[in-house]
């Protein structure tokens, strides 16, 4: 029985996209280097919305808290 492993070629390296998770109190946002849009979720995973850019995150969170009584 032959148990030798021969590497014929290296696997192609995938490009790593820069993504960063950040907390805004009870909210989690996902920054992606490839786009200005920022997905926003509650810390429990409920979808809040998509901020057009990082400057719109607090407005989106404020609206969510007004609609939902401040409970994330």
């Amino acid at each position: 029985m032959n148990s030798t492993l021969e590497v014929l070629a290296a696997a192609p390296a995938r490009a790593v996209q820069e993504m960063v998770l950040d907390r805004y109190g009870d909210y989690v946002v996902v920054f992606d280097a490839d786009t200005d849009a920022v997905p926003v979720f509650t810390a429990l995973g409920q979808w809040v919305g998509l901020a057009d850019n990082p400057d719109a995150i607090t407005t989106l969170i404020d609206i969510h808290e007004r609609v939902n009584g401040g409970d994330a």
Side-chain angles (χ1 to χ4, degrees):
M1 172 184 269
N2 187 357
S3 61
T4 304
L5 178 64
E6 180 182 352
V7 177
L8 301 176
R14 292 182 41 163
V16 176
Q17 297 178 351
E18 293 293 324
M19 295 182 86
V20 176
L21 296 177
D22 199 4
R23 288 286 298 257
Y24 281 66
D26 291 332
Y27 296 87
V28 177
V29 298
V30 182
F31 293 104
D32 184 345
D34 293 335
T35 181
D36 286 339
V38 183
V40 180
F41 300 86
T42 66
L44 298 175
Q46 178 189 12
W47 174 250
V48 173
L50 185 65
D52 292 332
N53 57 61
D55 294 332
I57 294 169
T58 54
T59 302
L60 186 62
I61 290 172
D62 288 344
I63 292 168
H64 183 264
E65 288 187 347
R66 273 187 260 138
V67 170
N68 294 294
D71 295 327

